[in-house]
Amino acid sequence: MRKVLSIFLLVLAAAGLAACGAEATPTPNAGGAMVDNTPVAGADTGGNTLAAIKQRGKLIVGVKYDIPTFGFLNPATNKVEGFDVEMGKAVANKIFGNPDAIEFKEAISKNRIPYLNDGVVDIVFSTMTANEERSKQIDFTDAYYVAGQSLLVPKDSAITDVKSVGSKTVGTVSGSTSEKNIRSAAPDAKVELFNTYAEAVQAMQSGRVDAVTTDDIILFGFVKQNPDKFKVVGGQFTTEPYAGGVKQGNTDLLNAADEAIREMKSSGKWADAYKQWVSSDNVPPVPPQDWRDVGK
């Protein structure tokens, strides 16, 4: 009996060592790059609070990697750049006095909120529309941009606006407000869903879909890359206030983010970032603080 018990204890000890030594395996993202979606240390015990972030020494920010102008992984530099990236750097600078005390992780539409609630990232700036439904799951920062949904089509397309879509096929991203909006605005259209907008645009180039829909500022980025292939048509058929997202209850982090956004707006850095990454022409007015006030 004593020998059996000893063997049993050795098995338990070996299992415990194996569990302690196990490491999370990074998973491939939609673009093929490896993404570490392991929760940050201490996430279950408040690891995303401002105090824990300061102790860690860096801010972990979720952004998109496939949106020219807002969040784009530049293949030439292997660095993420864009308007959303500037928002994240502003928050890092507010917390640490250093905009480079930051780590970016790819956060696409369908995993932005889970990444916050699971502790994978501290804050998300990912062309995310603030709305009442999402505000039940996460807390939103001040609004930092106002976009509107539109349509991207090939240069020779006969589609002129959302009313002329008819029964054609429109691509968009799963988990986005764009999916819900296009189903309402063009009820006869066939909607095909993708993980990223880049995938949807590629599908349009191959003839799989007739148009791609999301916020116009995202679509303008694709036109900027390929002005001879694409055009944006029909103007805006929605109003989309962008805001950063944090896990509910992270009040100190939320306050720091709001302070950073307000300082960008008042100092002129917001306009500078827009000119650098979006357009130097027709810089829009800064949005109101509360995303609920957009459009009033």
Coordinates of all heavy atoms in Angstrom, one line a residue, residues 37-103:
N37 N -2.5 35.9 -27.8 CA -3.7 36.4 -27.2 C -3.8 35.9 -25.7 O -4.9 35.7 -25.2 CB -4.9 35.9 -28.0 CG -5.0 34.4 -28.2 OD1 -4.2 33.7 -27.6 ND2 -5.9 34.0 -29.1
T38 N -2.7 35.6 -25.1 CA -2.6 35.2 -23.7 C -3.0 36.4 -22.8 O -2.5 37.5 -23.1 CB -1.2 34.8 -23.3 OG1 -0.8 33.8 -24.2 CG2 -1.2 34.2 -21.9
P39 N -3.9 36.2 -21.8 CA -4.2 37.3 -20.9 C -3.0 37.9 -20.3 O -2.1 37.1 -19.9 CB -5.2 36.7 -19.9 CG -5.8 35.5 -20.6 CD -4.7 35.0 -21.6
V40 N -2.9 39.2 -20.1 CA -1.7 39.8 -19.4 C -1.7 39.3 -17.9 O -2.7 38.9 -17.4 CB -1.8 41.3 -19.5 CG1 -1.6 41.8 -20.9 CG2 -3.1 41.9 -18.9
A41 N -0.5 39.3 -17.4 CA -0.3 38.8 -16.0 C -1.3 39.5 -15.0 O -1.4 40.7 -15.0 CB 1.1 39.0 -15.6
G42 N -1.9 38.6 -14.2 CA -2.8 39.2 -13.2 C -4.1 39.7 -13.7 O -4.8 40.4 -12.9
A43 N -4.5 39.3 -14.9 CA -5.8 39.9 -15.5 C -7.0 39.6 -14.6 O -7.9 40.4 -14.4 CB -5.9 39.4 -16.9
D44 N -7.0 38.3 -14.1 CA -8.2 37.9 -13.3 C -8.3 38.6 -12.0 O -9.3 38.6 -11.3 CB -8.1 36.4 -13.1 CG -8.3 35.6 -14.4 OD1 -8.9 36.2 -15.3 OD2 -7.9 34.5 -14.5
T45 N -7.2 39.2 -11.5 CA -7.2 39.9 -10.2 C -6.9 41.4 -10.4 O -6.3 42.0 -9.6 CB -6.1 39.3 -9.3 OG1 -4.8 39.3 -9.9 CG2 -6.4 37.8 -9.0
G46 N -7.4 41.9 -11.5 CA -7.2 43.3 -11.7 C -6.0 43.7 -12.5 O -5.5 44.8 -12.3
G47 N -5.4 42.8 -13.3 CA -4.2 43.1 -14.0 C -4.3 44.2 -15.0 O -3.3 44.6 -15.6
N48 N -5.5 44.6 -15.4 CA -5.7 45.7 -16.3 C -6.0 47.0 -15.7 O -6.3 48.0 -16.4 CB -6.7 45.3 -17.4 CG -6.4 44.1 -18.2 OD1 -6.7 43.0 -17.8 ND2 -5.7 44.3 -19.3
T49 N -5.9 47.1 -14.4 CA -6.2 48.4 -13.7 C -5.0 49.3 -13.9 O -3.9 48.8 -14.2 CB -6.4 48.1 -12.2 OG1 -5.2 47.6 -11.6 CG2 -7.6 47.2 -11.9
L50 N -5.1 50.5 -13.7 CA -4.1 51.5 -13.9 C -2.9 51.2 -13.0 O -1.7 51.3 -13.5 CB -4.6 52.9 -13.6 CG -3.6 54.1 -14.0 CD1 -3.1 54.0 -15.4 CD2 -4.2 55.4 -13.7
A51 N -3.1 50.8 -11.8 CA -2.0 50.5 -10.9 C -1.2 49.3 -11.4 O 0.1 49.4 -11.4 CB -2.5 50.2 -9.5
A52 N -1.9 48.3 -11.9 CA -1.2 47.1 -12.4 C -0.4 47.5 -13.7 O 0.7 46.9 -14.0 CB -2.1 46.0 -12.6
I53 N -1.0 48.3 -14.5 CA -0.4 48.7 -15.8 C 0.9 49.5 -15.5 O 1.9 49.3 -16.1 CB -1.4 49.6 -16.6 CG1 -2.5 48.7 -17.1 CG2 -0.6 50.2 -17.8 CD1 -3.7 49.5 -17.7
K54 N 0.9 50.4 -14.5 CA 2.1 51.1 -14.1 C 3.2 50.2 -13.6 O 4.3 50.4 -13.9 CB 1.7 52.2 -13.1 CG 0.9 53.4 -13.6 CD 0.6 54.4 -12.5 CE -0.1 55.6 -13.0 NZ -0.4 56.6 -12.0
Q55 N 2.8 49.2 -12.8 CA 3.7 48.3 -12.3 C 4.4 47.4 -13.5 O 5.6 47.1 -13.4 CB 3.1 47.3 -11.3 CG 4.0 46.4 -10.6 CD 3.3 45.6 -9.5 OE1 2.1 45.5 -9.5 NE2 4.1 45.0 -8.7
R56 N 3.6 47.1 -14.5 CA 4.0 46.4 -15.6 C 5.0 47.2 -16.4 O 5.9 46.7 -17.1 CB 2.9 45.9 -16.5 CG 3.2 45.0 -17.6 CD 2.1 45.0 -18.7 NE 0.8 44.7 -18.2 CZ -0.3 45.3 -18.6 NH1 -0.2 46.2 -19.5 NH2 -1.4 45.0 -18.1
G57 N 4.7 48.5 -16.5 CA 5.7 49.4 -17.3 C 5.3 49.6 -18.7 O 6.1 50.3 -19.4
K58 N 4.2 49.2 -19.1 CA 3.7 49.4 -20.5 C 2.2 49.3 -20.6 O 1.6 48.6 -19.8 CB 4.4 48.5 -21.5 CG 4.0 47.0 -21.4 CD 4.8 46.2 -22.4 CE 4.4 44.7 -22.2 NZ 5.1 43.8 -23.1
L59 N 1.6 50.0 -21.6 CA 0.2 49.9 -21.9 C 0.0 48.9 -23.1 O 0.7 49.1 -24.1 CB -0.3 51.3 -22.2 CG -1.8 51.4 -22.6 CD1 -2.6 51.2 -21.3 CD2 -2.1 52.8 -23.2
I60 N -0.9 48.0 -23.0 CA -1.2 47.1 -24.0 C -2.5 47.5 -24.7 O -3.5 47.6 -24.1 CB -1.3 45.6 -23.5 CG1 0.0 45.2 -22.8 CG2 -1.6 44.7 -24.7 CD1 0.0 43.8 -22.2
V61 N -2.3 47.8 -26.0 CA -3.4 48.5 -26.8 C -3.9 47.6 -27.9 O -3.0 47.1 -28.7 CB -3.0 49.8 -27.3 CG1 -4.1 50.5 -28.1 CG2 -2.5 50.7 -26.2
G62 N -5.1 47.3 -28.1 CA -5.7 46.6 -29.2 C -6.0 47.5 -30.3 O -6.8 48.5 -30.1
V63 N -5.5 47.3 -31.5 CA -5.8 48.1 -32.7 C -5.9 47.1 -33.9 O -5.5 46.0 -33.8 CB -4.6 49.1 -33.0 CG1 -4.5 50.1 -31.9 CG2 -3.3 48.4 -33.3
K64 N -6.5 47.6 -35.0 CA -6.5 46.9 -36.2 C -5.2 47.0 -36.9 O -4.5 48.0 -36.8 CB -7.7 47.3 -37.1 CG -9.1 46.9 -36.5 CD -10.2 47.3 -37.3 CE -11.5 46.8 -36.7 NZ -12.7 47.4 -37.4
Y65 N -4.9 46.0 -37.7 CA -3.7 46.0 -38.5 C -3.9 46.1 -40.0 O -2.9 46.2 -40.8 CB -2.9 44.6 -38.3 CG -2.2 44.5 -37.0 CD1 -2.4 45.4 -35.9 CD2 -1.2 43.5 -36.8 CE1 -1.7 45.2 -34.7 CE2 -0.5 43.3 -35.7 CZ -0.7 44.2 -34.6 OH 0.0 44.1 -33.4
D66 N -5.2 46.2 -40.4 CA -5.5 46.2 -41.9 C -6.2 47.4 -42.3 O -6.8 47.4 -43.4 CB -6.3 44.9 -42.2 CG -7.7 44.9 -41.6 OD1 -7.8 45.5 -40.5 OD2 -8.6 44.4 -42.2
I67 N -6.2 48.5 -41.5 CA -7.0 49.7 -41.9 C -6.0 50.8 -42.2 O -5.5 51.5 -41.3 CB -8.0 50.1 -40.8 CG1 -8.9 48.9 -40.4 CG2 -8.8 51.3 -41.2 CD1 -9.7 48.4 -41.5
P68 N -5.8 51.1 -43.5 CA -4.9 52.2 -43.8 C -5.6 53.5 -43.2 O -6.8 53.6 -43.2 CB -5.0 52.2 -45.3 CG -5.3 50.9 -45.7 CD -6.2 50.3 -44.6
T69 N -4.8 54.4 -42.7 CA -5.1 55.6 -42.0 C -5.4 55.5 -40.5 O -5.1 56.4 -39.8 CB -6.3 56.4 -42.7 OG1 -7.5 55.6 -42.4 CG2 -6.2 56.6 -44.2
F70 N -6.0 54.3 -40.1 CA -6.3 54.3 -38.6 C -5.5 53.2 -37.9 O -5.0 53.5 -36.8 CB -7.8 54.0 -38.5 CG -8.6 55.2 -38.3 CD1 -8.7 56.1 -39.3 CD2 -9.3 55.5 -37.1 CE1 -9.5 57.3 -39.2 CE2 -10.0 56.7 -36.9 CZ -10.1 57.6 -38.0
G71 N -5.3 52.0 -38.4 CA -4.5 51.0 -37.8 C -4.0 50.1 -38.8 O -4.7 49.3 -39.3
F72 N -2.7 50.2 -39.1 CA -2.1 49.5 -40.3 C -0.7 49.0 -39.9 O 0.1 49.8 -39.5 CB -2.1 50.4 -41.5 CG -1.6 49.7 -42.8 CD1 -2.3 48.7 -43.4 CD2 -0.4 50.1 -43.3 CE1 -1.9 48.1 -44.5 CE2 0.1 49.5 -44.5 CZ -0.7 48.5 -45.1
L73 N -0.5 47.7 -40.1 CA 0.8 47.2 -39.9 C 1.6 47.4 -41.2 O 1.4 46.7 -42.2 CB 0.8 45.7 -39.6 CG 2.1 45.0 -39.3 CD1 2.8 45.6 -38.1 CD2 1.9 43.5 -39.1
N74 N 2.5 48.4 -41.1 CA 3.3 48.7 -42.3 C 4.3 47.6 -42.6 O 5.2 47.4 -41.8 CB 4.0 50.1 -42.0 CG 4.7 50.6 -43.3 OD1 5.1 49.9 -44.2 ND2 4.7 52.0 -43.4
P75 N 4.2 47.0 -43.8 CA 5.2 45.9 -44.0 C 6.6 46.4 -44.2 O 7.5 45.6 -44.1 CB 4.6 45.3 -45.3 CG 3.8 46.4 -46.0 CD 3.2 47.2 -44.8
A76 N 6.8 47.6 -44.6 CA 8.1 48.2 -44.8 C 8.9 48.4 -43.5 O 10.1 48.2 -43.4 CB 8.1 49.5 -45.5
T77 N 8.1 48.7 -42.4 CA 8.8 49.0 -41.1 C 8.4 47.9 -40.0 O 9.0 47.9 -39.0 CB 8.3 50.4 -40.6 OG1 6.9 50.3 -40.4 CG2 8.7 51.4 -41.6
N78 N 7.4 47.1 -40.3 CA 6.8 46.2 -39.3 C 6.3 46.9 -38.1 O 6.3 46.3 -37.0 CB 7.9 45.1 -39.0 CG 7.2 43.8 -38.4 OD1 6.1 43.4 -38.8 ND2 7.9 43.2 -37.4
K79 N 5.9 48.1 -38.3 CA 5.3 48.9 -37.1 C 3.9 49.2 -37.5 O 3.5 49.4 -38.6 CB 6.1 50.1 -36.9 CG 7.5 49.9 -36.3 CD 8.2 51.2 -36.0 CE 9.6 50.9 -35.5 NZ 10.3 52.2 -35.1
V80 N 3.0 49.3 -36.4 CA 1.6 49.7 -36.6 C 1.6 51.2 -36.6 O 2.2 51.9 -35.7 CB 0.8 49.1 -35.5 CG1 -0.7 49.3 -35.8 CG2 1.1 47.6 -35.3
E81 N 0.8 51.7 -37.5 CA 0.7 53.2 -37.6 C -0.8 53.6 -37.9 O -1.6 52.8 -38.4 CB 1.6 53.7 -38.7 CG 1.4 53.1 -40.0 CD 2.5 53.4 -41.0 OE1 3.6 53.6 -40.6 OE2 2.1 53.5 -42.3
G82 N -1.1 54.9 -37.6 CA -2.4 55.4 -38.0 C -3.0 56.2 -36.9 O -2.4 56.4 -35.8
F83 N -4.2 56.7 -37.1 CA -4.9 57.6 -36.2 C -5.2 56.9 -34.9 O -5.0 57.5 -33.8 CB -6.2 58.1 -36.8 CG -6.8 59.3 -36.2 CD1 -6.2 60.6 -36.4 CD2 -7.9 59.2 -35.4 CE1 -6.8 61.7 -35.8 CE2 -8.5 60.3 -34.8 CZ -7.9 61.5 -35.0
D84 N -5.7 55.7 -34.9 CA -5.9 54.9 -33.7 C -4.6 54.7 -32.9 O -4.7 54.7 -31.6 CB -6.6 53.6 -34.0 CG -8.1 53.7 -34.2 OD1 -8.7 54.7 -33.8 OD2 -8.7 52.8 -34.8
V85 N -3.6 54.5 -33.6 CA -2.3 54.2 -32.9 C -1.9 55.5 -32.2 O -1.3 55.4 -31.0 CB -1.2 53.9 -34.0 CG1 0.2 53.8 -33.3 CG2 -1.5 52.5 -34.6
E86 N -2.1 56.7 -32.7 CA -1.8 57.9 -32.1 C -2.6 58.1 -30.8 O -2.1 58.6 -29.8 CB -2.0 59.1 -33.0 CG -1.1 59.1 -34.2 CD 0.4 59.1 -33.9 OE1 0.8 59.9 -33.0 OE2 1.1 58.4 -34.6
M87 N -3.9 57.6 -30.8 CA -4.7 57.7 -29.6 C -4.0 56.8 -28.5 O -3.9 57.3 -27.3 CB -6.1 57.2 -29.9 CG -6.9 58.0 -30.9 SD -7.2 59.7 -30.2 CE -6.3 60.6 -31.4
G88 N -3.6 55.6 -28.9 CA -3.0 54.8 -27.9 C -1.7 55.3 -27.3 O -1.5 55.3 -26.1
K89 N -0.9 55.9 -28.2 CA 0.3 56.6 -27.7 C 0.1 57.7 -26.8 O 0.9 58.0 -25.8 CB 1.2 57.0 -28.9 CG 1.8 55.9 -29.7 CD 2.6 56.4 -30.9 CE 3.3 55.3 -31.6 NZ 4.2 55.8 -32.8
A90 N -1.0 58.5 -27.1 CA -1.3 59.6 -26.2 C -1.7 59.1 -24.8 O -1.3 59.7 -23.8 CB -2.5 60.4 -26.8
V91 N -2.4 58.0 -24.7 CA -2.7 57.4 -23.4 C -1.5 56.9 -22.7 O -1.3 57.1 -21.5 CB -3.8 56.3 -23.5 CG1 -4.1 55.7 -22.1 CG2 -5.0 56.8 -24.2
A92 N -0.6 56.2 -23.4 CA 0.7 55.8 -22.8 C 1.5 56.9 -22.3 O 2.1 56.9 -21.2 CB 1.5 55.0 -23.9
N93 N 1.5 58.0 -23.1 CA 2.3 59.2 -22.6 C 1.6 59.8 -21.4 O 2.4 60.3 -20.5 CB 2.3 60.2 -23.8 CG 3.2 61.4 -23.5 OD1 4.4 61.2 -23.3 ND2 2.7 62.6 -23.5
K94 N 0.3 59.8 -21.3 CA -0.3 60.3 -20.1 C 0.0 59.5 -18.9 O 0.2 60.1 -17.8 CB -1.9 60.3 -20.3 CG -2.7 60.6 -19.1 CD -2.4 61.9 -18.4 CE -2.8 63.1 -19.2 NZ -2.6 64.3 -18.4
I95 N 0.1 58.2 -19.0 CA 0.4 57.3 -17.9 C 1.8 57.3 -17.5 O 2.2 57.4 -16.3 CB -0.1 55.9 -18.2 CG1 -1.6 55.9 -18.4 CG2 0.3 54.9 -17.1 CD1 -2.2 54.5 -18.9
F96 N 2.7 57.2 -18.5 CA 4.1 57.0 -18.3 C 5.0 58.2 -18.6 O 6.2 58.1 -18.3 CB 4.6 55.8 -19.1 CG 4.0 54.5 -18.7 CD1 3.0 53.9 -19.5 CD2 4.3 53.8 -17.5 CE1 2.4 52.7 -19.2 CE2 3.7 52.6 -17.2 CZ 2.8 52.1 -18.0
G97 N 4.5 59.2 -19.3 CA 5.3 60.3 -19.8 C 6.2 59.8 -20.9 O 7.2 60.5 -21.3
N98 N 5.8 58.7 -21.6 CA 6.5 58.1 -22.7 C 5.5 57.5 -23.7 O 5.0 56.4 -23.3 CB 7.5 57.1 -22.2 CG 8.3 56.5 -23.3 OD1 8.2 56.8 -24.5 ND2 9.1 55.4 -22.9
P99 N 5.4 58.0 -24.9 CA 4.4 57.4 -25.8 C 4.8 56.0 -26.3 O 4.0 55.3 -26.9 CB 4.4 58.4 -27.0 CG 5.7 59.1 -26.9 CD 6.0 59.2 -25.4
D100 N 6.1 55.7 -26.1 CA 6.6 54.4 -26.6 C 6.5 53.3 -25.5 O 6.9 52.2 -25.8 CB 8.0 54.5 -27.1 CG 8.1 55.4 -28.3 OD1 7.2 55.4 -29.1 OD2 9.1 56.2 -28.4
A101 N 6.0 53.6 -24.3 CA 5.8 52.6 -23.3 C 4.5 51.9 -23.6 O 3.5 52.0 -22.9 CB 5.7 53.2 -21.9
I102 N 4.5 51.1 -24.7 CA 3.3 50.6 -25.3 C 3.6 49.3 -26.1 O 4.7 49.1 -26.6 CB 2.6 51.7 -26.2 CG1 1.2 51.4 -26.5 CG2 3.4 51.9 -27.5 CD1 0.4 52.6 -27.1
E103 N 2.6 48.5 -26.1 CA 2.6 47.3 -26.9 C 1.3 47.2 -27.6 O 0.2 47.3 -27.0 CB 2.8 46.0 -26.1 CG 2.8 44.7 -26.9 CD 2.9 43.5 -26.0 OE1 3.3 43.6 -24.8 OE2 2.4 42.4 -26.4

